[in-house]
Amino acid sequence: MQWTQVYDPFGHWWLSTLVAALPIIVLLGMLAGFKVKPHWCAIAGASTAVAVAILFFHMPASLAAMSFGYGVAFGILKIAWIVLAAVYLYDISVETGQFEIMKESVAGITADRRLQVLLVAFCFGAFIEGAAGFGAPVAIAGAFMIGLGFKPFHAAALNLIANTAPVAWGAIGTPVHTLAAVTALPESDLNAMIGRILPFTAVIIPFWLVKTMVSWRETFEVWPAILVVGGSFALTQFLWSNYVDSNLVDIMGGVVSIVCVLILLRGWKPKRIWRFEYDEPAPALPHHSTEIADQVGGEWPSEKFEASVPLRSFTAAQVLRAWMPFAILSLFVLLWGLPSIKLAMNQATTPAFKVMLADGKVRPGPPGWDVPYLHNAVSRSAPVVAKPTPEAARYDFNWLSATGTGCFFAAIASGFLLGLGPMQLMKIFWRTLVRMRLAMIAISFMLGLGYVTRYSGLDAVLGLAFTRTGWFFPFFGTFLGWLGVALTGSDTSSNALFGSLQRITSQRLGVDPILMCATNSAGGVMGKMVDAQSITIATSATEQVGNEGIIFRFVAWHSVALCAIVGVIVMLYAYVFQSAVPHGLQFVK
């Protein structure tokens, strides 16, 4: 069965756009407006998407059903598995008592919540994003912050805001690789252009994070740390993306920013320690309790700090042992992201089909299986693509090379090294699985919704509405990328959906296609904090299931405001600083 997508079934683009938006309206309306549990929201949204695709856009029912099943299968292996494995590692760390030592080691660096959120949510989260992506930073850093004593709501919301600027290079540069593939534009130019947009936001977001927690005065009290964190990350992001490659931008940025802020804290401290109202008194270093008490102002009376229990003294070996699970996790996800290792694992576990070339030679095809009835059965058409293009649908059940498997093996290795036996590890995993079951259902159905939206063309209908903005397209094209991530939960998926549309529209309007295709990725990162998948991951990892609507309402305006800032930057590149758009750039070999 062959079917070509229809983008205006009603003959009025605004009406077709409104109907295409119904699944998102149902999903977010139930989530934010009626406080329905997320798995029911996801089920309702996916059901609406299937109904709209079949009834109004005339998609054959078999194709709609297969696209939904394809999305669910993708969500389980690629997304839910990562979150489950990351939370499993966290549970092992808690079960063995190592998390308490980690908490006190970070508190030994600083008890100030403003600095802790910079270190954990922004710097450490950026490193995990670069290595794993796909929700892992929110899950891991969110759980980490709860261990430090942040309330679950603050841990979830702050990590959603922090997990923005690094997203364009998540999972070893996967979004950039995908963008280059779908647009047929030079990856080095696209990578460099993204690296000339997002460093501005990398400076803004640490400031934004701290201001979200405290007043203006309390924000400026730690401006040296904010400047060092944002400046070092932004500079590394710019230099690496413009002169090296697209694979290690976030990993290097995260490492450099952590090192720089640790160096800063050796010679600079804030004048007072800031804590939440619900916090216990800040732990005092054994021989500095009076000094810390003198630094405290505002809500916390100094006598509470003088009476606080000093930090226990741990040896360097104990601290290293406590941090070992997360060091192992970082190593595993980094190895799992290396192309050579990933290829070897894929070849070992997934059959590769043979492809006949024009000259009669046979070579191995891409690993995986064609999704029955769906592969190449749906075609996109103009104006979304230059000519009718069939949509591939191949499910690569690469379970061994999946990032979640790397996280799971890291958890198992950590458990054995920390002295746990096989039965203890199985019991902990079962408890983690039971706790995460509803979140996994929600994530899977949200991916099912996203794939129905993609294969039915509903995403293209929404995207085409943004192309009617004329001279303002550079600004609203930024929100096209935002929409793609908000719909799918992935900057990679957003680039696959809208990369070609950005190129076609920009060429038609006389705007540089390198700029607008890069903008799709750069604007998309700001949609990461409001997509239902990320919110579900955040609430699951921080034990906030049921509060998705509250968190969505909290982060929504942050998402829109930051995307608008990116849109203004893109407008300046489009009409003022056109010469700054790269062409013919080459990576350093």
Side-chain angles (χ1 to χ4, degrees):
M1 180 182 297
Q2 297 293 318
W3 178 73
T4 301
Q5 293 176 349
V6 179
Y7 304 126
D8 190 8
F10 298 101
H12 300 284
W13 70 269
W14 59 269
L15 181 57
S16 298
T17 301
L18 180 62
V19 173
L22 283 177
I24 308 304
I25 294 172
V26 170
L27 173 66
L28 298 183
M30 293 178 65
L31 190 65
F34 298 97
K35 300 180 181 179
V36 178
K37 291 183 178 180
H39 60 285
W40 289 117
C41 296
I43 292 171
S47 301
T48 304
V50 171
V52 168
I54 295 173
L55 297 178
F56 298 110
F57 286 80
H58 313 299
M59 186 182 195
S62 60
L63 298 182
M66 291 309 300
S67 61
F68 171 75
Y70 182 25
V72 169
F74 181 92
I76 291 173
L77 180 64
K78 302 295 185 180
I79 310 296
W81 180 219
I82 295 175
V83 181
L84 178 67
V87 175
Y88 178 43
L89 181 135
Y90 164 74
D91 287 345
I92 288 173
S93 182
V94 172
E95 182 75 15
T96 55
Q98 302 304 311
F99 215 91
E100 289 299 314
I101 301 176
M102 292 178 65
K103 283 168 48 179
E104 298 206 22
S105 67
V106 172
I109 297 172
T110 177
D112 194 300
R113 293 303 194 194
R114 297 167 296 185
L115 302 182
Q116 289 177 352
V117 78
L118 291 175
L119 276 168
V120 178
F122 188 82
C123 300
F124 181 61
F127 178 87
I128 298 298
E129 175 67 36
F134 297 105
V138 175
I140 295 171
F144 194 108
M145 286 173 64
I146 287 181
L148 288 174
F150 283 76
K151 270 192 174 178
F153 174 83
H154 288 129
L158 292 171
N159 273 285
L160 285 169
I161 295 173
N163 188 40
T164 47
V167 168
W169 292 279
I172 319 293
T174 300
V176 180
H177 303 329
T178 302
L179 183 64
V182 300
T183 61
L185 293 173
E187 181 176 326
S188 56
D189 289 341
L190 292 170
N191 190 51
M193 188 66 247
I194 299 170
R196 298 180 188 191
I197 298 173
L198 288 182
F200 293 104
T201 65
V203 174
I204 294 171
I205 287 172
F207 180 88
W208 200 290
L209 266 178
V210 176
K211 178 59 189 69
T212 300
M213 298 168 57
V214 301
S215 67
W216 287 104
R217 180 173 64 86
E218 291 161 334
T219 299
F220 283 110
E221 286 176 353
V222 291
W223 71 264
I226 293 174
L227 187 60
V228 166
V229 167
S232 61
F233 186 86
L235 183 60
T236 306
Q237 194 178 60
F238 168 76
L239 293 175
W240 205 274
S241 62
N242 276 262
Y243 299 107
V244 186
D245 63 25
S246 56
N247 294 333
L248 301 179
V249 176
D250 286 344
I251 292 174
M252 295 307 301
V255 170
V256 169
S257 60
I258 289 173
V259 171
C260 287
V261 76
L262 291 178
I263 292 173
L264 172 72
L265 292 176
R266 292 181 65 87
W268 172 88
K269 302 290 181 185
K271 291 183 178 179
R272 60 176 186 160
I273 296 172
W274 189 89
R275 308 276 286 176
F276 287 110
E277 292 181 359
Y278 57 75
D279 274 324
E280 294 292 327
L285 295 173
H287 57 289
H288 287 309
S289 57
T290 303
E291 177 186 336
I292 290 177
D294 291 340
Q295 293 177 2
V296 176
E299 302 160 348
W300 290 99
S302 60
E303 59 265 26
K304 292 193 73 170
F305 284 79
E306 291 171 349
S308 63
V309 178
L311 285 170
R312 287 182 293 167
S313 178
F314 294 105
T315 65
Q318 288 175 309
V319 172
L320 290 174
R321 177 181 170 85
W323 279 90
M324 178 184 63
F326 288 91
I328 292 175
L329 172 67
S330 302
L331 176 62
F332 269 69
V333 294
L334 185 59
L335 291 174
W336 252 246
L338 294 177
S340 57
I341 295 178
K342 184 180 289 289
L343 178 62
M345 289 190 289
N346 287 345
Q347 291 175 341
T349 58
T350 308
F353 294 92
K354 303 297 182 180
V355 176
M356 180 72 71
L357 301 180
D359 59 4
K361 295 182 179 179
V362 176
R363 66 169 175 81
W369 296 270
D370 295 347
V371 177
Y373 306 107
L374 184 62
H375 179 64
N376 288 337
V378 175
S379 293
R380 290 187 176 252
S381 59
V384 176
V385 290
K387 58 181 180 179
T389 306
E391 286 283 280
R394 293 182 60 81
Y395 186 68
D396 54 335
F397 186 62
N398 295 328
W399 61 270
L400 184 57
S401 65
T403 304
T405 303
C407 295
F408 180 76
F409 286 164
I412 295 295
S414 300
F416 283 131
L417 290 173
L418 292 174
L420 296 177
M423 290 304 299
Q424 291 172 295
L425 288 171
M426 290 175 63
K427 289 179 181 178
I428 296 172
F429 182 75
W430 176 253
R431 290 200 301 267
T432 304
L433 182 61
V434 170
R435 179 156 64 93
M436 297 291 293
R437 67 190 187 282
L438 295 181
M440 295 179 69
I441 293 173
I443 292 169
S444 300
F445 271 78
M446 286 170 187
L447 264 294
L449 184 157
Y451 272 60
V452 172
T453 299
R454 169 186 171 184
Y455 284 96
S456 65
L458 302 184
D459 60 338
V461 176
L462 297 172
L464 287 170
F466 285 91
T467 68
R468 298 176 179 272
T469 53
W471 190 84
F472 288 99
F473 178 67
F475 181 84
F476 288 101
T478 306
F479 278 90
L480 179 56
W482 178 92
L483 175 68
V485 176
L487 286 173
T488 65
S490 165
D491 200 45
T492 300
S493 298
S494 177
N495 289 341
L497 291 175
F498 292 141
S500 179
L501 179 61
Q502 292 273 18
R503 177 173 184 174
I504 293 170
T505 306
S506 60
Q507 290 174 330
R508 184 183 304 155
L509 297 175
V511 181
D512 196 311
I514 291 289
L515 171 63
M516 290 314 302
C517 292
T519 294
N520 194 81
S521 192
V525 304
M526 300 308 170
K528 189 73 172 175
M529 69 179 85
V530 294
D531 80 83
Q533 171 190 305
S534 292
I535 292 174
T536 301
I537 291 171
T539 56
S540 303
T542 58
E543 300 182 2
Q544 280 278 284
V545 174
N547 290 335
E548 289 77 8
I550 298 172
I551 292 174
F552 173 80
R553 290 193 294 271
F554 180 84
V555 300
W557 86 268
H558 296 281
S559 177
V560 173
L562 286 166
C563 190
I565 291 173
V566 176
V568 171
I569 295 170
V570 174
M571 287 283 285
L572 291 173
Y573 275 119
Y575 300 119
V576 181
F577 304 110
Q578 297 100 321
S579 60
V581 179
H583 290 278
L585 216 61
Q586 296 294 326
F587 289 141
V588 175
K589 299 297 183 182

